């Protein structure tokens, strides 16, 4: 029989590791399906469903078999956690499923791929760990009321869940990276397995220690060594990779190309050059420019024009990674590590130019930075003569609901918006919106009709003055 002290420790440690499963799953799947509320809801729902099934199955296990069942569950869970949630396996899984379902309508949706991953990998892992609480209830003193024993066991496991969420996301991932977070959580499960066995030496304990050691070794290679060779850095938010080509470098964040810089001319992609042209079309000497979404910090890599750039990104490690591996020099400007909308809400400062470059593709758009309320907030933080430059991933033909609604949202929040595009193909492209801050002095848009000569007169005045003719 397992002692009460070891039971309490197992419950705490198992709760800590099981909550880590949820955090790691959300983080590891971001590169393939994004981080929208839809993705998070699927992961949380599957986690809770698997946990409920684990509770049910654990309660049905015969009392005389609970030790063996608990041992098997913990050993299998350690291997499933360490390998199934490693980046190499997750990448292989999603890319394979995407290839298989490419020609099947409905099944090629990334959310379906995420659901299948949760059912095949995360679900069984949580199902095994969920049995821990009801299985360990078999160790309760016969004189203890069942409700008291169940309440105490659930409370200890839940305390472990709380500590695990905070430890995995705020400490392990932040300071050590995702790979080491998985290794440590797997080590915790291996410790739980060892605690289940009686203190006396036995062939079973020796065999278990051997299996645990092999499993942890594979986990270390899959989560630390291999990602270390694939990425320049893995942070709580991103997998960052630098790709070299003959003329420059690409900064790849979560499998999406975030920035490019030429090796000789320090120029970026066409849409980046569009935004540079929009910024430097006026004299920006002494002006303050806020860039939401730092990317590769390339807007000021070639020159600053005498302006003061402030880059903002949620990932605090991005600056050091870019300086060391991408730009290979210090960034020209300041850096603030904070969420874009939170920064605009808490800082009342107004800017001459605000650049919004937060979207790499439509599947990974941060929802709270793509609404009318957000764009209105950007407009409010502009000086009266300020301008906003927005890079939006959308279809330039506006033939889908997302692209049409996004275009309408932007134009409702600003005034005098014009759009520059890199291509007019029927697919996602970088649309650069150049917008002004709404003002009571803005001219009222009317209509030119056949029965007036206004278009000729206004056009002539505009050509003379270099400004838009007034009604």
């Amino acid at each position: 029989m397992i002692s009460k002290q070891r039971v309490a420790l197992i419950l705490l440690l198992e709760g800590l590791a099981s909550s880590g499963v949820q955090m790691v799953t959300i983080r590891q799947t971001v590169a393939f399906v994004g981080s929208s509320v839809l993705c998070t809801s699927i992961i949380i729902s599957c986690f809770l469903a698997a946990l409920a099934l684990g509770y049910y199955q654990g309660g049905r296990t015969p009392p005389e078999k609970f030790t063996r069942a608990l041992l098997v569950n913990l050993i299998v869970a350690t291997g499933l956690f360490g390998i199934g949630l490693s980046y190499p396996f997750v990448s292989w899984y999603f890319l394979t499923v995407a290839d298989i379902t490419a020609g099947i309508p409905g099944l090629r949706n990334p959310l379906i791929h995420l659901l299948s991953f949760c059912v095949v990998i995360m679900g069984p892992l949580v199902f095994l760990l969920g049995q821990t609480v009801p299985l360990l209830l078999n160790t309760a003193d016969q004189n203890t009321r069942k409700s008291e024993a169940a309440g105490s066991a659930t409370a200890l496991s839940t305390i472990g869940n709380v500590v695990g969420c905070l430890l995995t996301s705020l400490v392990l991932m932040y300071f050590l990276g995702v790979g080491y977070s998985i290794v440590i959580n797997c080590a915790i499960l291996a410790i739980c397995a060892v605690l289940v066995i009686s203190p006396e030496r036995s062939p079973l304990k020796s065999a278990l220690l051997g299996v645990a050691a092999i499993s942890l070794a594979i986990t270390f290679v899959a989560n630390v060594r291999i990602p270390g060779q694939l990425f320049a850095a893995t942070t709580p938010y991103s997998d960052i990779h630098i790709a070299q080509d003959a003329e420059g470098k690409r900064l790849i964040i979560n499998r999406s190309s975030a920035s490019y810089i030429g090796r000789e001319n320090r120029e970026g992609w066409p849409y980046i050059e569009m935004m540079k042209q929009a910024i430097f079309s006026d004299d920006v000497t002494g002006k303050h420019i806020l860039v939401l979404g730092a990317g590769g910090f390339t807007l000021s890599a070639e020159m600053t024009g005498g302006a003061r750039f402030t880059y903002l990104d949620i990932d605090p490690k991005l600056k050091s990674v870019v300086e060391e591996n991408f730009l290979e020099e210090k960034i020209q400007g300041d850096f603030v590590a904070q969420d874009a909308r939170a920064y605009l809400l808490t800082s009342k400062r107004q800017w001459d130019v605000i650049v919004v470059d937060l979207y790499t593709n439509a599947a990974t758009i941060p929802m709270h930075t793509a609404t009318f309320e957000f764009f209105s907030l950007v407009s409010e933080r502009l000086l009266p003569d300020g301008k906003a430059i927005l890079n939006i991933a959308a279809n330039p033909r506006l033939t889908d609901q997302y692209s049409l609604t996004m275009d309408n949202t932007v134009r409702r929040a600003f005034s005098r918006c014009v759009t520059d595009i890199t291509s007019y193909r029927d697919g996602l492209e970088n649309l650069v919106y150049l917008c002004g801050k709404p003002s009571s002095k803005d001219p009222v848009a009317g209509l030119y009709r056949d029965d007036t000569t206004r278009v000729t007169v206004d056009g002539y005045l505009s050509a003379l003055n270099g400004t838009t003719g007034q009604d």
Side-chain angles (χ1 to χ4, degrees):
M1 183 66 69
I2 307 173
S3 67
K4 290 184 178 180
Q5 292 79 6
R6 281 191 291 156
V7 167
L9 186 55
I10 292 170
L11 288 169
L12 281 171
L13 292 177
E14 176 277 326
L16 190 151
S18 64
S19 62
V21 171
Q22 192 172 190
M23 298 296 102
V24 169
T25 302
I26 293 173
R27 168 60 183 81
Q28 292 290 67
T29 57
V30 164
F32 304 92
V33 297
S35 58
S36 71
V37 66
L38 299 175
C39 301
T40 306
S41 64
I42 289 175
I43 293 172
I44 294 176
S45 298
C46 290
F47 180 90
L48 294 175
L51 196 63
L53 290 173
Y55 288 154
Y56 176 77
Q57 179 62 31
R60 291 172 57 87
T61 302
E64 64 274 10
K65 295 182 179 181
F66 90 92
T67 302
R68 181 185 296 273
L70 189 55
L71 273 174
V72 172
N73 288 352
L74 290 170
I75 294 171
V76 174
T78 301
L80 198 55
F81 196 160
I83 298 172
L85 291 181
S86 67
Y87 180 84
F89 182 86
V90 173
S91 177
W92 172 84
Y93 183 92
F94 277 95
L95 294 179
T96 301
V97 172
D99 287 340
I100 294 173
T101 61
I104 307 175
L107 294 183
R108 60 189 179 190
N109 189 318
L111 295 179
I112 300 297
H113 303 170
L114 176 61
L115 178 61
S116 71
F117 179 81
C118 290
V119 171
V120 173
I121 302 299
M122 189 195 74
L125 173 55
V126 177
F127 171 76
L128 294 172
L129 295 179
Q131 297 178 39
T132 304
V133 171
L135 287 174
L136 286 176
L137 287 176
N138 290 288
T139 65
D141 194 319
Q142 296 298 323
N143 296 323
T144 305
R145 290 184 297 121
K146 292 183 179 180
S147 60
E148 181 181 349
S152 299
T154 305
L156 284 170
S157 180
T158 304
I159 291 172
N161 291 153
V162 174
V163 174
C165 284
L166 297 175
L167 180 67
T168 300
S169 58
L170 299 181
V171 179
L172 297 181
M173 284 189 186
Y174 185 86
F175 291 103
L176 301 178
V178 181
Y180 278 107
S181 299
I182 295 176
V183 171
I184 291 173
N185 276 289
C186 288
I188 289 172
L189 291 179
I191 292 171
C192 289
V194 172
L195 289 172
V196 172
I197 303 175
S198 60
E200 296 79 15
R201 292 192 61 84
S202 66
L204 179 60
K205 184 174 182 180
S206 299
L208 176 62
L209 291 175
V211 172
I214 294 172
S215 179
L216 289 176
I218 296 173
T219 297
F220 180 80
V221 172
N223 291 282
V224 177
R225 286 297 182 87
I226 295 178
Q229 296 173 353
L230 294 175
F231 303 113
T234 57
T235 74
Y237 304 95
S238 309
D239 296 319
I240 305 174
H241 172 59
I242 311 297
Q244 305 277 352
D245 61 32
E247 299 181 353
K249 303 183 205 176
R250 283 185 298 133
L251 176 69
I252 301 174
I253 299 178
N254 289 335
R255 298 181 65 245
S256 295
S257 293
S259 190
Y260 174 87
I261 190 166
R263 190 166 283 109
E264 299 296 333
N265 56 20
R266 312 296 282 174
E267 292 183 356
W269 280 312
Y271 82 89
I272 290 290
E273 296 306 307
M274 287 180 194
M275 292 196 291
K276 285 183 183 178
Q277 186 178 15
I279 292 172
F280 299 118
S281 59
D282 300 319
D283 182 11
V284 294
T285 303
K287 293 191 175 182
H288 296 273
I289 300 171
L290 175 65
V291 183
L292 303 178
F297 300 85
T298 52
L299 289 177
S300 61
E302 194 175 6
M303 66 172 184
T304 64
R308 185 62 179 258
F309 281 77
T310 298
Y311 289 92
L312 186 141
D313 198 279
I314 196 170
D315 192 340
K317 296 186 178 180
L318 181 63
K319 175 177 176 288
S320 60
V321 174
V322 167
E323 287 179 337
E324 181 178 351
N325 300 282
F326 185 64
L327 293 179
E328 296 183 2
E329 64 183 13
K330 295 291 185 181
I331 68 169
Q332 298 198 60
D334 301 319
F335 176 65
V336 177
Q338 193 174 348
D339 175 80
R341 186 159 177 171
Y343 178 80
L344 293 177
L345 284 169
T346 55
S347 173
K348 303 301 182 182
R349 180 178 179 179
Q350 291 186 305
W351 303 81
D352 296 287
V353 181
I354 297 180
V355 178
V356 178
D357 191 11
L358 296 165
Y359 327 119
T360 53
N361 60 68
T364 58
I365 290 178
M367 182 183 70
H368 65 299
T369 62
T371 62
F372 174 78
E373 290 78 7
F374 171 73
F375 292 123
S376 297
L377 187 58
V378 171
S379 179
E380 290 175 12
R381 296 298 179 261
L382 287 172
L383 289 166
D385 294 328
K387 56 186 175 184
I389 303 171
L390 320 173
N391 173 37
I392 306 292
N395 188 318
R397 301 184 186 182
L398 306 183
T399 52
D400 61 84
Q401 189 64 53
Y402 155 74
S403 301
L404 182 63
T405 305
M406 180 64 81
D407 180 78
N408 186 50
T409 301
V410 169
R411 296 183 188 279
R412 288 289 185 91
F414 296 96
S415 68
R416 306 186 307 280
C417 275
V418 296
T419 310
D420 204 346
I421 62 176
T422 53
S423 173
Y424 194 62
R425 72 180 183 91
D426 189 14
L428 291 181
E429 290 289 344
N430 292 102
L431 278 59
V432 178
Y433 288 79
L434 313 173
C435 304
K437 182 173 184 174
S439 169
S440 58
K441 297 180 180 179
D442 288 343
V444 178
L447 293 175
Y448 290 120
R449 298 185 178 276
D450 288 341
D451 59 353
T452 71
T453 60
R454 286 179 56 205
V455 63
T456 302
V457 175
D458 289 351
Y460 182 74
L461 292 174
S462 179
L464 287 178
N465 301 326
T467 59
T468 302
Q470 303 295 314
D471 286 341

